[in-house]
Amino acid sequence: MRTRPLKVALLGCGVVGSEVARIMTTHADDLTQRIGAPVELAGVAVRRPSKVREGIDPALVTTDATALLKRGDIDIAIEVIGGIEPARTLITTAFEHGISVVSANKALLAQDGAALHAAAEAGGLDLYYEAAVAGAIPLVRPMRESLAGDKINRVMGIVNGTTNFILDKMDSTGAGYQEALDEATALGYAEADPTADVEGYDAAAKAAILAGIAFHTRVRLDDVYREGMTEVSAADFASAKRMGCTIKLLAILERAADGESVTARVHPAMIPLTHPLASVREAYNAVFVEAEAAGQLMFYGPGAGGSPTASAVLGDLVAVCRNKLAEATGPGESAYTQLPVSPMGDVVTRYHISLDVADKPGVLAQVATTFAEHGVSIDTVRQQGKDGEASLVVVTHRAPDAALSGTVEALRKLDTVRGVASIMRVEGE
């Protein structure tokens, strides 16, 4: 066993970073045995050095992350700062100085993953990021390594714990969106500004990363279609229950049937209660992977939080340290297919559409004609009426999303349609 320690620079020491430092200290002997060499926390870069950080030697703390990386004895950098800058510059600096990187930065990887992978490859270094996608859930490495010999056709998952908590509460208690969000905030699941979560930005970044791995093609954040969940209502859940469904905010990544393109999208959707993802409760994450040879696989567990995310970071650290000792690197970017990302309009989906209509003869026929004119077939219709007003719920068969969107716009122009109460896609069937 090597006695000279591998030295680690920790960039960021918030909730995740402090837990990484704690585990490195308390599990030092075990990590040494698993790696084959000691691992030493050689420096911790922070913004506020005066803050007390329990278990961390103040002598290790610095505000100059660049100097820490350039000092010449660092083997591996762990980046848990988040955001685009200064994280991007610091990771690039690490590569320029022969330092492999473990990152939890989904936003940066979704935006600039290709450039970072290229920089790592140019230096013969590792870039690992299991913690960037689904917290403690082992997902990136199984897709990059265990399924490397298979062909992944579809990935569908719940990749944001905050939104799943909110939707689960709305489903199980009948709470409205704001009430469920307030509870999530009080429990610490939602940030003071929950926009990144509830508008789907967080899930979209993760979707971009997963799509790139699954389909061996470059998918950027801008390629991912995104809808938030702030408009999901108690009435939507009532409709979902009548269909034997629930509602989840899903990341859905698909290879086209002809294999010539891929799609990546994030939006709320109704899914049958019989689907494995329907039973994912509270702030948990789960990802359903469909591969040609392996079949259907599901990865489930806590997708956020200090300890779960730190677990994924430490797993990557062990892997990178082992590679360092073996003078090797793990898998890098695989983008050989160079498949185009199709727009959302080309995606084939089903719709659940709730209309407020006049309660009079001929309305249903007029609505049905509008669907037919746009080439959209109706699966089921449910109508309720009283005192001259009615609600009409239409569930379609699968059709291109552009055709469905065009149908909705045409419905809005009908004089018998008072308004479109809700529109939601139906998945998982």
Side-chain angles (χ1 to χ4, degrees):
M1 179 179 291
R2 168 173 152 166
T3 57
R4 184 174 69 82
L6 292 161
K7 295 194 175 184
V8 177
L10 180 60
L11 311 179
C13 197
V15 173
V16 175
S18 59
E19 189 65 10
V20 168
R22 184 192 69 78
I23 295 173
M24 286 185 65
T25 302
T26 58
H27 294 182
D29 291 341
D30 286 339
L31 291 173
T32 297
Q33 294 299 319
R34 294 168 192 172
I35 292 168
V39 180
E40 176 187 320
L41 186 59
V44 182
V46 301
R47 286 186 299 174
R48 296 185 293 274
S50 59
K51 181 180 177 181
V52 176
R53 294 173 172 84
E54 187 176 347
I56 297 178
D57 183 351
L60 297 177
V61 177
T62 177
T63 57
D64 194 340
T66 302
L68 173 61
L69 295 171
K70 288 182 176 180
R71 73 186 205 185
D73 63 341
I74 301 299
D75 296 292
I76 297 143
I78 297 175
E79 184 272 309
V80 285
I81 298 170
I84 305 302
E85 289 291 356
R88 174 170 49 198
T89 298
L90 292 175
I91 291 175
T92 302
T93 300
F95 290 145
E96 290 170 350
H97 289 78
I99 301 168
S100 289
V101 173
V102 173
S103 177
N105 196 329
K106 54 188 170 288
L108 179 57
L109 287 160
Q111 179 173 304
D112 291 322
L116 295 178
H117 275 293
E121 183 177 357
L125 301 163
D126 276 324
L127 173 61
Y128 274 53
Y129 45 88
E130 184 70 68
V133 175
I137 304 173
L139 182 60
V140 171
R141 198 169 304 143
M143 289 177 63
R144 290 173 80 180
E145 300 179 26
S146 302
L147 295 174
D150 208 338
K151 181 180 180 181
I152 297 174
N153 291 317
R154 195 167 195 257
V155 179
M156 182 167 77
I158 299 163
V159 294
N160 183 277
T162 300
T163 55
N164 199 58
F165 180 89
I166 293 169
L167 292 172
D168 182 48
K169 289 302 174 184
M170 293 176 70
D171 185 27
S172 60
T173 69
Y177 167 76
Q178 189 60 50
E179 183 183 352
L181 173 60
D182 290 344
E183 182 177 355
T185 304
L187 292 172
Y189 292 127
E191 301 287 344
D193 180 1
T195 302
D197 294 324
V198 299
E199 293 295 351
Y201 292 102
D202 175 86
K206 296 170 181 177
I209 295 169
L210 288 176
I213 297 169
F215 306 131
H216 302 279
T217 198
R218 286 178 179 165
V219 179
R220 290 170 50 88
L221 180 58
D222 292 345
D223 296 322
V224 181
Y225 174 84
R226 177 196 55 79
E227 280 182 29
M229 47 157 280
T230 56
E231 300 300 318
V232 177
S233 66
D236 291 325
F237 274 101
S239 292
K241 286 182 178 179
R242 283 191 287 269
M243 292 177 58
C245 293
T246 188
I247 299 171
K248 299 292 186 181
L249 184 73
L250 298 177
I252 304 172
L253 323 169
E254 294 177 300
R255 188 191 300 270
D258 62 6
E260 297 300 315
S261 64
V262 299
T263 57
R265 50 195 166 107
V266 169
H267 55 72
M270 294 182 180
I271 58 172
L273 295 175
T274 53
H275 194 282
L277 292 178
S279 61
V280 179
R281 308 297 299 274
E282 299 284 332
Y284 278 76
N285 284 190
V287 178
F288 202 70
V289 178
E290 299 178 25
E292 202 163 86
Q296 298 178 331
L297 308 170
M298 187 162 128
F299 301 84
Y300 170 85
S307 293
T309 305
S311 172
V313 169
L314 267 295
D316 279 351
L317 176 64
V318 169
V320 172
C321 285
R322 288 171 174 170
N323 291 343
K324 194 85 173 176
L325 293 177
E327 298 183 348
T329 56
E333 183 189 34
S334 176
Y336 72 92
T337 62
Q338 300 182 20
L339 296 173
V341 182
S342 296
M344 186 63 190
D346 292 347
V347 174
V348 177
T349 62
R350 297 181 68 200
Y351 265 25
H352 175 283
I353 305 171
S354 180
L355 305 171
D356 294 326
V357 300
D359 187 15
K360 63 182 183 180
V363 172
L364 180 56
Q366 191 178 33
V367 168
T369 298
T370 302
F371 276 91
E373 288 172 348
H374 288 79
V376 178
S377 176
I378 294 175
D379 183 14
T380 61
V381 178
R382 186 178 68 253
Q383 184 174 7
Q384 294 177 319
K386 185 179 180 181
D387 299 330
E389 298 296 329
S391 63
L392 192 65
V393 177
V394 179
V395 180
T396 73
H397 286 292
R398 291 169 62 82
D401 199 79
L404 289 162
S405 298
T407 304
V408 171
E409 290 307 307
L411 289 170
R412 294 182 193 275
K413 297 176 182 178
L414 297 178
D415 57 6
T416 53
V417 174
R418 310 294 192 220
V420 180
S422 69
I423 308 168
M424 191 167 297
R425 295 174 181 84
V426 182
E427 299 287 344
E429 296 184 323

